[in-house]
Amino acid sequence: MHFSIPETEVRSGDNGSTYVAYNIHVNGVLHCRVRYSQLLGLHEQIKKEYGSNVVPAFPPKKIFTLTPAEVEQRREQLEKYMQAVRQDPLLGASEMFNSFLRKAQQETQQIPTEEVALDICLSNGQKVTVNILTSDQTEDVLEAVATKLDLPDDLVGYFSLFLVREGVDGSLTFVRKLQEFELPYVSITSLRSSEFHIVLRKSYWDMSYDADVMDNRVGLNLLYTQTVSDIERGWILVNKDQHRQLKSLQEKGSKKEFIHLGQTLKYYGYIKFDPCITDFPEKGCQVIVSAGNNELNFHVKLPNEQMKEGSFKVTRMRCWRVTSSQVPVANGTTNPCSSAKCEVKLELAFEYLMSKDRLQWVTITSQQAIMMSICLQSMVDELMVKKSGGSIKKMLRKRHNGSIQRPDSQQTVKSPPLLDSPDPNREQIVKLSTKLSSVSLRGISASNSANDISANDFHGNYAFEGIGDDDL
């Protein structure tokens, strides 16, 4: 996640006085609006809990009213502070930090705590409606969806909620995986657009874990509908013969066999991103990036109109970073950016081992750069678990249970009070296993994938002896 404070606002307080508000953006979108005193309160709590030697530097108090230059300096310092806290493995994952952000998000959007119905989409387009509180965090909503679908507790961690945008042509853009510091209802409502949806999708990469999911009826149906959807969208490539086999298995109701065949197809389990720009192999090339199988796959259109395909393995990436900048909207003006004339430009850059002794930076300019980064990080996490001999099933269960079962001592964070919560005795959630009905393969491309694009590898098919997870 990319935290920034690109702007400040002068706002009126309850007593008629004014104050400076700092707008915290996540992935270039406003998440919450906070005062300096709120962040100072958070800082003091973190310092008390974790010690002064762990907490990053915080901009000091000022006795007199800040000048515009001092406000700008404080904005930059607070931005660096938020980024440092989030990037710290201990502080960024703490319930104290995440709870602060959730409460600030709810207050900023002025959404009271009350019971609401929230639609969660499945891969086949069907909707699961859950009754939740507006103040329920991501894992609470995921748990509610799992309960309604009758998905067992030990499989909940295999799935995540994703914020997506659906185009008029039915295309799907993955905006981000919903995080522990946000409230899904508030996040989707604040966008004020019907083209945004929350989708339930598997959140692991290694297809060997499909076996765990397929052992359960509901898990099997979820994986099946996702596989069908990815094929229909052209994310998974099939040729005519494979298409006939898939149709035959579908007509027989052989879902496991359908998935097993899907696992042999190109780009199974990948997430496909919107067309964007890269500087590799040449600056300004158009590219379609897909993430999966511990790699970023590139379909590049070169300036001479030639198409090339290549893959960058995460085990050969030394590091990566996401950067953002304010750029003028194309309107013929060269004036400095203002809130009305600028947009956020996001870039993902990674340093790649092209050959045994040659590292090179590759840059992708895309509004989905942060989503790409999240994909890379989760791939690395899985590889590290495997390398250490651990079980991803235990890791997912621990992560899921850890975020659901929070000790009461960590619930309270000093931030402005929200509206009172309603009666916590909510209506019992109804099971909805029947939502996962059969789906059909509509509009699957019958083209032969082998003829779609040349399979030239950018880094020349070097044989990298001895390079593996140790290069992470």
Coordinates of all heavy atoms in Angstrom, one line a residue, residues 328-413:
P328 N 0.3 17.0 -14.6 CA -0.8 17.7 -15.1 C -1.7 16.9 -16.0 O -1.2 16.0 -16.7 CB -0.2 18.9 -15.9 CG 1.2 18.9 -15.4 CD 1.6 17.5 -15.0
V329 N -3.0 17.1 -15.9 CA -3.9 16.4 -16.9 C -3.7 17.0 -18.2 O -3.5 18.2 -18.4 CB -5.4 16.6 -16.4 CG1 -6.3 16.0 -17.5 CG2 -5.6 16.0 -15.1
A330 N -3.7 16.2 -19.3 CA -3.4 16.7 -20.6 C -4.5 17.7 -21.1 O -5.5 17.4 -21.6 CB -3.4 15.5 -21.6
N331 N -4.2 19.0 -20.9 CA -5.1 20.0 -21.3 C -4.4 21.2 -22.0 O -4.9 22.3 -22.1 CB -5.9 20.5 -20.1 CG -5.0 21.0 -19.0 OD1 -3.8 21.1 -19.1 ND2 -5.6 21.4 -17.8
G332 N -3.2 20.9 -22.4 CA -2.5 21.9 -23.1 C -1.8 23.0 -22.2 O -1.2 23.9 -22.8
T333 N -1.8 22.8 -20.9 CA -1.2 23.8 -20.1 C 0.0 23.3 -19.4 O 0.2 22.1 -19.2 CB -2.2 24.3 -19.0 OG1 -1.6 25.3 -18.1 CG2 -2.6 23.1 -18.1
T334 N 0.9 24.2 -19.1 CA 2.1 23.8 -18.4 C 2.2 24.4 -17.0 O 3.2 24.5 -16.4 CB 3.4 24.3 -19.2 OG1 3.3 25.7 -19.4 CG2 3.4 23.6 -20.6
N335 N 1.0 24.9 -16.5 CA 1.0 25.5 -15.2 C 1.2 24.4 -14.1 O 1.0 23.2 -14.4 CB -0.4 26.1 -14.9 CG -0.6 27.3 -15.8 OD1 0.3 27.9 -16.2 ND2 -1.9 27.6 -16.1
P336 N 1.7 24.8 -13.0 CA 1.9 23.8 -11.9 C 0.7 23.1 -11.5 O -0.4 23.6 -11.8 CB 2.5 24.7 -10.7 CG 3.0 25.9 -11.4 CD 2.2 26.1 -12.6
C337 N 0.8 22.0 -10.9 CA -0.4 21.2 -10.6 C -1.3 21.9 -9.6 O -0.8 22.5 -8.6 CB 0.0 19.8 -10.0 SG 0.7 18.7 -11.3
S338 N -2.5 21.7 -9.7 CA -3.5 22.0 -8.7 C -4.4 20.8 -8.6 O -4.4 19.9 -9.4 CB -4.3 23.3 -9.1 OG -5.1 22.9 -10.3
S339 N -5.2 20.8 -7.5 CA -6.1 19.7 -7.3 C -7.0 19.4 -8.4 O -7.5 18.3 -8.6 CB -6.9 19.9 -6.0 OG -7.7 21.0 -6.1
A340 N -7.4 20.4 -9.2 CA -8.3 20.2 -10.3 C -7.7 19.8 -11.6 O -8.3 19.4 -12.5 CB -9.1 21.5 -10.5
K341 N -6.4 20.0 -11.7 CA -5.7 19.8 -13.0 C -4.7 18.7 -13.0 O -4.0 18.6 -13.9 CB -5.1 21.2 -13.4 CG -6.1 22.3 -13.7 CD -5.3 23.5 -14.1 CE -6.3 24.7 -14.4 NZ -5.6 25.9 -14.8
C342 N -4.6 18.0 -11.8 CA -3.5 17.0 -11.7 C -4.1 15.6 -11.5 O -5.2 15.5 -11.0 CB -2.6 17.4 -10.6 SG -1.4 18.6 -11.1
E343 N -3.3 14.6 -11.8 CA -3.7 13.3 -11.5 C -2.4 12.6 -10.9 O -1.3 13.1 -11.2 CB -4.2 12.5 -12.7 CG -3.2 12.4 -13.8 CD -3.8 11.8 -15.1 OE1 -5.0 11.5 -15.1 OE2 -3.1 11.5 -16.0
V344 N -2.6 11.5 -10.2 CA -1.5 10.8 -9.6 C -0.9 9.8 -10.7 O -1.7 9.0 -11.3 CB -1.9 10.0 -8.4 CG1 -0.8 9.2 -7.8 CG2 -2.4 11.0 -7.3
K345 N 0.4 9.9 -10.8 CA 1.1 8.9 -11.7 C 1.8 7.9 -10.9 O 2.6 8.3 -10.0 CB 2.1 9.7 -12.6 CG 2.9 8.8 -13.5 CD 3.9 9.6 -14.3 CE 4.8 8.8 -15.1 NZ 5.9 9.6 -15.8
L346 N 1.5 6.6 -11.1 CA 2.1 5.6 -10.3 C 3.1 4.7 -11.2 O 2.7 4.4 -12.3 CB 1.0 4.6 -9.7 CG 0.1 5.3 -8.7 CD1 -1.0 4.3 -8.3 CD2 0.9 5.6 -7.4
E347 N 4.2 4.4 -10.6 CA 5.2 3.5 -11.3 C 5.7 2.4 -10.4 O 6.0 2.7 -9.2 CB 6.4 4.4 -11.8 CG 6.1 5.4 -12.9 CD 7.3 6.1 -13.4 OE1 8.3 6.1 -12.6 OE2 7.3 6.6 -14.5
L348 N 5.8 1.2 -11.0 CA 6.4 0.1 -10.3 C 7.7 -0.1 -11.0 O 7.8 -0.3 -12.2 CB 5.6 -1.1 -10.4 CG 6.2 -2.5 -10.0 CD1 6.5 -2.5 -8.4 CD2 5.5 -3.7 -10.4
A349 N 8.8 -0.1 -10.2 CA 10.2 -0.3 -10.8 C 10.8 -1.5 -10.0 O 10.7 -1.5 -8.8 CB 11.0 0.9 -10.7
F350 N 11.4 -2.4 -10.8 CA 12.1 -3.5 -10.1 C 13.5 -3.7 -10.7 O 13.7 -3.5 -11.9 CB 11.3 -4.8 -10.1 CG 10.9 -5.3 -11.5 CD1 11.7 -6.1 -12.3 CD2 9.7 -4.9 -12.1 CE1 11.4 -6.6 -13.5 CE2 9.3 -5.4 -13.3 CZ 10.2 -6.2 -14.1
E351 N 14.4 -4.1 -9.8 CA 15.8 -4.4 -10.3 C 15.9 -5.9 -10.6 O 15.7 -6.7 -9.7 CB 16.8 -3.9 -9.3 CG 18.2 -3.9 -9.8 CD 19.2 -3.3 -8.8 OE1 18.9 -3.3 -7.6 OE2 20.2 -2.8 -9.2
Y352 N 16.2 -6.2 -11.8 CA 16.2 -7.6 -12.3 C 17.5 -8.1 -12.7 O 18.3 -7.4 -13.3 CB 15.2 -7.7 -13.5 CG 14.8 -9.1 -13.8 CD1 13.9 -9.8 -12.9 CD2 15.3 -9.8 -14.9 CE1 13.5 -11.1 -13.2 CE2 14.9 -11.1 -15.2 CZ 14.0 -11.7 -14.3 OH 13.6 -13.0 -14.6
L353 N 17.8 -9.4 -12.3 CA 19.0 -10.0 -12.7 C 18.9 -10.5 -14.1 O 18.4 -11.6 -14.4 CB 19.3 -11.2 -11.7 CG 20.7 -11.8 -11.8 CD1 21.8 -10.8 -11.5 CD2 20.8 -13.0 -10.9
M354 N 19.4 -9.7 -15.1 CA 19.3 -10.1 -16.5 C 20.2 -11.2 -16.9 O 19.9 -12.1 -17.7 CB 19.6 -8.9 -17.4 CG 18.5 -7.8 -17.2 SD 16.9 -8.3 -17.9 CE 15.9 -6.9 -17.6
S355 N 21.4 -11.2 -16.3 CA 22.4 -12.2 -16.5 C 23.2 -12.4 -15.2 O 22.9 -11.6 -14.3 CB 23.3 -11.9 -17.7 OG 24.0 -10.7 -17.4
K356 N 24.1 -13.2 -15.2 CA 24.8 -13.6 -13.9 C 25.4 -12.3 -13.2 O 25.4 -12.2 -12.0 CB 25.9 -14.6 -14.2 CG 26.5 -15.2 -12.9 CD 27.4 -16.4 -13.2 CE 27.9 -17.0 -11.9 NZ 28.7 -18.1 -12.1
D357 N 25.9 -11.4 -14.0 CA 26.6 -10.2 -13.4 C 25.9 -8.9 -13.8 O 26.5 -7.8 -13.7 CB 28.1 -10.2 -13.9 CG 28.8 -11.4 -13.4 OD1 28.6 -11.8 -12.2 OD2 29.5 -12.0 -14.2
R358 N 24.7 -8.9 -14.3 CA 24.1 -7.7 -14.8 C 22.7 -7.5 -14.2 O 21.8 -8.3 -14.5 CB 24.0 -7.7 -16.3 CG 23.5 -6.4 -16.9 CD 23.7 -6.3 -18.4 NE 22.8 -7.2 -19.1 CZ 21.6 -6.9 -19.6 NH1 21.2 -5.7 -19.4 NH2 20.9 -7.8 -20.3
L359 N 22.5 -6.4 -13.5 CA 21.2 -6.0 -12.9 C 20.7 -4.9 -13.7 O 21.5 -4.0 -14.1 CB 21.4 -5.6 -11.4 CG 21.6 -6.8 -10.4 CD1 22.1 -6.2 -9.1 CD2 20.2 -7.5 -10.2
Q360 N 19.4 -4.8 -13.9 CA 18.8 -3.7 -14.7 C 17.5 -3.4 -14.1 O 16.7 -4.2 -13.7 CB 18.7 -4.1 -16.2 CG 18.1 -3.0 -17.0 CD 18.0 -3.4 -18.5 OE1 18.8 -4.2 -18.9 NE2 17.2 -2.7 -19.3
W361 N 17.2 -2.1 -14.0 CA 15.9 -1.6 -13.6 C 14.9 -1.6 -14.7 O 15.2 -1.2 -15.8 CB 16.0 -0.2 -13.0 CG 16.5 -0.1 -11.6 CD1 17.8 0.1 -11.3 CD2 15.8 -0.3 -10.4 NE1 18.0 0.1 -9.9 CE2 16.8 -0.2 -9.4 CE3 14.5 -0.6 -10.1 CZ2 16.4 -0.3 -8.0 CZ3 14.1 -0.7 -8.8 CH2 15.1 -0.6 -7.8
V362 N 13.7 -2.2 -14.4 CA 12.6 -2.2 -15.4 C 11.4 -1.4 -14.7 O 11.1 -1.7 -13.6 CB 12.1 -3.6 -15.7 CG1 10.9 -3.6 -16.6 CG2 13.3 -4.4 -16.3
T363 N 10.8 -0.5 -15.5 CA 9.8 0.3 -14.9 C 8.4 0.1 -15.6 O 8.4 0.0 -16.9 CB 10.2 1.8 -15.0 OG1 11.4 2.0 -14.3 CG2 9.1 2.7 -14.4
I364 N 7.4 0.0 -14.9 CA 6.0 -0.1 -15.4 C 5.2 1.2 -14.9 O 5.2 1.4 -13.7 CB 5.3 -1.3 -15.0 CG1 6.1 -2.6 -15.3 CG2 3.9 -1.4 -15.6 CD1 5.7 -3.8 -14.6
T365 N 4.7 1.9 -15.8 CA 3.8 3.0 -15.5 C 2.4 2.6 -15.6 O 1.9 2.3 -16.7 CB 4.1 4.2 -16.4 OG1 5.5 4.6 -16.3 CG2 3.2 5.4 -16.0
S366 N 1.7 2.5 -14.5 CA 0.3 2.0 -14.5 C -0.4 2.4 -13.2 O 0.2 2.5 -12.1 CB 0.4 0.4 -14.5 OG -0.9 -0.1 -14.2
Q367 N -1.7 2.7 -13.3 CA -2.5 3.0 -12.1 C -2.7 1.8 -11.2 O -3.1 2.0 -10.1 CB -3.8 3.6 -12.6 CG -3.8 5.0 -13.2 CD -3.0 6.0 -12.3 OE1 -1.9 6.4 -12.6 NE2 -3.7 6.4 -11.2
Q368 N -2.3 0.6 -11.7 CA -2.4 -0.6 -10.9 C -1.0 -1.0 -10.4 O -0.9 -2.1 -10.0 CB -3.0 -1.7 -11.8 CG -4.5 -1.5 -12.2 CD -4.9 -2.6 -13.1 OE1 -4.6 -2.6 -14.3 NE2 -5.7 -3.5 -12.6
A369 N -0.1 -0.1 -10.4 CA 1.3 -0.4 -9.9 C 1.3 -0.9 -8.5 O 2.0 -1.9 -8.2 CB 2.1 0.9 -10.0
I370 N 0.4 -0.4 -7.6 CA 0.4 -0.9 -6.2 C -0.2 -2.3 -6.1 O 0.3 -3.1 -5.4 CB -0.3 0.1 -5.3 CG1 0.4 1.4 -5.4 CG2 -0.4 -0.4 -3.9 CD1 -0.3 2.6 -4.8
M371 N -1.2 -2.6 -6.9 CA -1.7 -3.9 -7.0 C -0.7 -4.9 -7.5 O -0.6 -6.0 -7.0 CB -3.0 -3.9 -7.9 CG -3.7 -5.3 -8.0 SD -4.4 -5.8 -6.4 CE -4.8 -7.5 -6.8
M372 N 0.1 -4.5 -8.5 CA 1.2 -5.3 -8.9 C 2.2 -5.6 -7.8 O 2.7 -6.7 -7.7 CB 1.9 -4.7 -10.1 CG 1.1 -4.5 -11.4 SD 2.0 -3.7 -12.7 CE 0.7 -3.3 -13.9
S373 N 2.5 -4.6 -7.1 CA 3.5 -4.7 -6.0 C 2.9 -5.7 -4.9 O 3.7 -6.5 -4.4 CB 3.7 -3.4 -5.3 OG 4.6 -3.5 -4.2
I374 N 1.6 -5.6 -4.6 CA 1.0 -6.5 -3.6 C 1.1 -7.9 -4.1 O 1.4 -8.9 -3.3 CB -0.5 -6.1 -3.4 CG1 -0.5 -4.8 -2.6 CG2 -1.2 -7.2 -2.6 CD1 -1.9 -4.2 -2.5
C375 N 0.9 -8.1 -5.4 CA 1.0 -9.5 -6.0 C 2.4 -10.0 -5.8 O 2.6 -11.2 -5.4 CB 0.6 -9.5 -7.5 SG -1.1 -9.2 -7.8
L376 N 3.4 -9.2 -6.1 CA 4.8 -9.6 -6.0 C 5.1 -10.0 -4.5 O 5.8 -11.0 -4.2 CB 5.8 -8.5 -6.4 CG 5.8 -8.2 -7.9 CD1 6.7 -7.0 -8.2 CD2 6.3 -9.4 -8.7
Q377 N 4.7 -9.2 -3.6 CA 4.9 -9.4 -2.2 C 4.3 -10.7 -1.7 O 4.9 -11.5 -1.0 CB 4.4 -8.3 -1.3 CG 4.8 -8.4 0.2 CD 6.3 -8.4 0.4 OE1 7.0 -7.5 0.0 NE2 6.8 -9.5 1.0
S378 N 3.1 -11.0 -2.1 CA 2.4 -12.2 -1.7 C 3.1 -13.5 -2.3 O 3.1 -14.5 -1.7 CB 0.9 -12.2 -2.1 OG 0.7 -12.0 -3.5
M379 N 3.6 -13.3 -3.6 CA 4.4 -14.4 -4.2 C 5.6 -14.7 -3.3 O 6.0 -15.9 -3.1 CB 4.8 -14.1 -5.6 CG 3.6 -14.0 -6.6 SD 4.2 -13.5 -8.2 CE 2.6 -13.2 -9.0
V380 N 6.3 -13.6 -3.0 CA 7.5 -13.8 -2.2 C 7.2 -14.5 -0.8 O 7.9 -15.3 -0.3 CB 8.3 -12.5 -2.0 CG1 9.4 -12.6 -0.9 CG2 8.8 -11.9 -3.3
D381 N 6.1 -14.0 -0.2 CA 5.7 -14.6 1.1 C 5.5 -16.1 1.0 O 5.9 -16.9 1.8 CB 4.4 -13.9 1.6 CG 4.6 -12.5 2.0 OD1 5.8 -12.1 2.2 OD2 3.6 -11.8 2.1
E382 N 4.8 -16.5 -0.1 CA 4.6 -18.0 -0.3 C 5.9 -18.7 -0.5 O 6.1 -19.8 0.0 CB 3.7 -18.2 -1.5 CG 2.2 -17.9 -1.2 CD 1.3 -18.4 -2.4 OE1 1.8 -19.3 -3.1 OE2 0.2 -17.9 -2.4
L383 N 6.8 -18.1 -1.3 CA 8.1 -18.8 -1.5 C 8.9 -18.9 -0.2 O 9.5 -20.0 0.0 CB 8.9 -18.0 -2.6 CG 8.4 -18.1 -4.0 CD1 9.2 -17.1 -4.9 CD2 8.6 -19.5 -4.6
M384 N 8.9 -17.9 0.6 CA 9.6 -17.9 1.8 C 9.0 -19.0 2.8 O 9.8 -19.7 3.5 CB 9.6 -16.6 2.5 CG 10.3 -15.5 1.7 SD 12.0 -15.9 1.2 CE 12.8 -15.8 2.9
V385 N 7.7 -19.1 2.8 CA 7.1 -20.1 3.6 C 7.5 -21.5 3.2 O 7.8 -22.4 4.0 CB 5.5 -20.0 3.6 CG1 4.9 -21.2 4.2 CG2 5.1 -18.7 4.3
K386 N 7.5 -21.7 1.9 CA 7.9 -23.0 1.4 C 9.4 -23.3 1.7 O 9.7 -24.4 2.0 CB 7.7 -23.1 -0.2 CG 6.3 -23.6 -0.6 CD 6.3 -24.0 -2.0 CE 5.0 -24.9 -2.3 NZ 5.1 -25.4 -3.6
K387 N 10.2 -22.3 1.5 CA 11.6 -22.5 1.7 C 11.9 -22.9 3.2 O 12.8 -23.6 3.4 CB 12.4 -21.2 1.3 CG 13.9 -21.3 1.5 CD 14.6 -20.0 1.1 CE 16.1 -20.1 1.2 NZ 16.8 -18.9 0.8
S388 N 11.1 -22.3 4.1 CA 11.4 -22.6 5.5 C 10.7 -23.9 5.9 O 10.8 -24.2 7.1 CB 10.8 -21.4 6.3 OG 9.4 -21.3 6.2
G389 N 10.0 -24.5 5.0 CA 9.4 -25.8 5.3 C 8.1 -25.6 6.1 O 7.5 -26.6 6.6
G390 N 7.5 -24.4 6.0 CA 6.3 -24.2 6.7 C 5.1 -24.5 5.8 O 5.2 -24.9 4.7
S391 N 3.9 -24.4 6.4 CA 2.7 -24.7 5.7 C 1.9 -23.4 5.4 O 1.6 -22.7 6.4 CB 1.8 -25.7 6.5 OG 0.5 -25.7 6.1
I392 N 1.6 -23.2 4.2 CA 0.8 -22.0 3.9 C -0.6 -22.1 4.5 O -1.2 -21.1 4.8 CB 0.7 -21.8 2.4 CG1 0.2 -20.4 2.1 CG2 -0.1 -22.8 1.7 CD1 0.3 -19.9 0.7
K393 N -1.1 -23.3 4.7 CA -2.4 -23.5 5.3 C -2.4 -22.9 6.7 O -3.3 -22.2 7.1 CB -2.8 -24.9 5.2 CG -4.2 -25.2 5.7 CD -4.7 -26.6 5.4 CE -6.1 -26.8 5.8 NZ -6.6 -28.2 5.5
K394 N -1.3 -23.3 7.4 CA -1.2 -22.8 8.8 C -1.0 -21.2 8.8 O -1.5 -20.5 9.6 CB 0.0 -23.5 9.5 CG -0.3 -24.9 9.8 CD 0.9 -25.6 10.5 CE 0.7 -27.0 10.8 NZ 1.9 -27.7 11.4
M395 N -0.2 -20.7 7.8 CA 0.1 -19.3 7.8 C -1.2 -18.5 7.5 O -1.5 -17.5 8.1 CB 1.1 -19.0 6.7 CG 1.5 -17.5 6.5 SD 2.5 -17.2 5.1 CE 1.3 -17.3 3.8
L396 N -2.0 -19.0 6.6 CA -3.2 -18.4 6.2 C -4.2 -18.4 7.4 O -4.9 -17.4 7.7 CB -3.9 -19.0 5.0 CG -3.1 -18.8 3.7 CD1 -3.7 -19.7 2.6 CD2 -3.1 -17.3 3.3
R397 N -4.3 -19.6 8.1 CA -5.2 -19.7 9.2 C -4.7 -18.8 10.3 O -5.6 -18.1 11.0 CB -5.2 -21.1 9.7 CG -6.3 -21.3 10.8 CD -6.2 -22.7 11.4 NE -6.4 -23.7 10.3 CZ -5.5 -24.7 10.1 NH1 -4.4 -24.8 10.8 NH2 -5.8 -25.6 9.2
K398 N -3.4 -18.7 10.6 CA -2.9 -17.8 11.6 C -3.2 -16.4 11.3 O -3.6 -15.6 12.2 CB -1.4 -18.1 11.8 CG -0.8 -17.2 12.9 CD 0.7 -17.5 13.0 CE 1.4 -16.7 14.0 NZ 2.8 -16.9 14.1
R399 N -3.0 -16.0 10.0 CA -3.2 -14.6 9.7 C -4.7 -14.3 9.8 O -5.1 -13.2 10.3 CB -2.8 -14.4 8.2 CG -3.0 -13.0 7.7 CD -2.8 -12.9 6.2 NE -3.9 -13.5 5.5 CZ -4.0 -13.7 4.2 NH1 -3.0 -13.3 3.5 NH2 -5.0 -14.3 3.7
H400 N -5.6 -15.2 9.4 CA -7.0 -15.0 9.5 C -7.5 -14.9 10.9 O -8.1 -14.0 11.3 CB -7.7 -16.1 8.7 CG -9.2 -16.0 8.8 ND1 -10.0 -14.9 8.3 CD2 -10.1 -16.7 9.5 CE1 -11.2 -15.1 8.5 NE2 -11.4 -16.2 9.3
N401 N -7.1 -15.9 11.7 CA -7.5 -15.9 13.1 C -7.0 -14.7 13.9 O -7.6 -14.2 14.7 CB -7.1 -17.2 13.8 CG -7.9 -18.4 13.2 OD1 -9.0 -18.2 12.6 ND2 -7.4 -19.6 13.4
G402 N -5.7 -14.4 13.6 CA -5.1 -13.3 14.3 C -5.8 -11.9 14.1 O -5.8 -11.1 15.0
S403 N -6.4 -11.8 12.9 CA -7.0 -10.5 12.6 C -8.5 -10.5 13.1 O -9.1 -9.5 13.3 CB -7.0 -10.2 11.1 OG -7.6 -11.3 10.4
I404 N -9.0 -11.7 13.3 CA -10.4 -11.8 13.8 C -10.5 -11.7 15.3 O -11.3 -11.0 15.9 CB -11.1 -13.1 13.4 CG1 -11.2 -13.1 11.8 CG2 -12.4 -13.3 14.0 CD1 -12.2 -12.1 11.3
Q405 N -9.6 -12.4 16.0 CA -9.6 -12.5 17.5 C -8.6 -11.5 18.0 O -7.4 -11.8 18.3 CB -9.3 -13.9 17.9 CG -10.2 -14.9 17.3 CD -9.8 -16.4 17.6 OE1 -8.7 -16.6 18.1 NE2 -10.6 -17.3 17.2
R406 N -9.1 -10.3 18.3 CA -8.2 -9.2 18.8 C -8.4 -9.1 20.3 O -9.6 -9.0 20.8 CB -8.5 -7.9 18.1 CG -8.1 -8.0 16.6 CD -8.5 -6.7 16.0 NE -9.9 -6.4 16.1 CZ -10.8 -6.8 15.3 NH1 -10.5 -7.6 14.3 NH2 -12.1 -6.5 15.4
P407 N -7.4 -9.0 21.1 CA -7.6 -8.8 22.5 C -8.2 -7.4 22.8 O -8.0 -6.4 22.1 CB -6.2 -8.8 23.1 CG -5.3 -8.5 22.0 CD -6.0 -9.1 20.7
D408 N -9.1 -7.3 23.8 CA -9.8 -6.1 24.1 C -8.8 -4.9 24.4 O -9.1 -3.8 24.1 CB -10.7 -6.3 25.3 CG -11.8 -7.2 25.0 OD1 -12.1 -7.4 23.8 OD2 -12.4 -7.8 25.9
S409 N -7.6 -5.2 24.9 CA -6.7 -4.2 25.3 C -6.2 -3.4 24.1 O -5.6 -2.3 24.2 CB -5.5 -4.8 26.0 OG -4.8 -5.7 25.2
Q410 N -6.4 -4.0 22.9 CA -5.9 -3.3 21.7 C -7.0 -2.6 20.9 O -6.8 -2.1 19.8 CB -5.2 -4.4 20.7 CG -3.9 -4.9 21.3 CD -3.3 -5.9 20.3 OE1 -3.9 -6.5 19.5 NE2 -2.0 -6.1 20.5
Q411 N -8.2 -2.6 21.4 CA -9.3 -2.1 20.7 C -9.3 -0.6 20.7 O -9.8 0.1 19.8 CB -10.6 -2.6 21.3 CG -10.9 -4.1 21.1 CD -11.1 -4.4 19.6 OE1 -11.7 -3.7 18.9 NE2 -10.5 -5.5 19.2
T412 N -8.9 0.0 21.8 CA -9.1 1.5 22.0 C -7.9 2.3 21.4 O -6.7 2.0 21.7 CB -9.2 1.8 23.5 OG1 -10.3 1.0 24.0 CG2 -9.5 3.3 23.7
V413 N -8.2 3.2 20.6 CA -7.2 4.1 20.0 C -7.8 5.5 20.2 O -9.0 5.8 19.9 CB -7.0 3.8 18.5 CG1 -6.0 4.9 17.9 CG2 -6.4 2.5 18.4

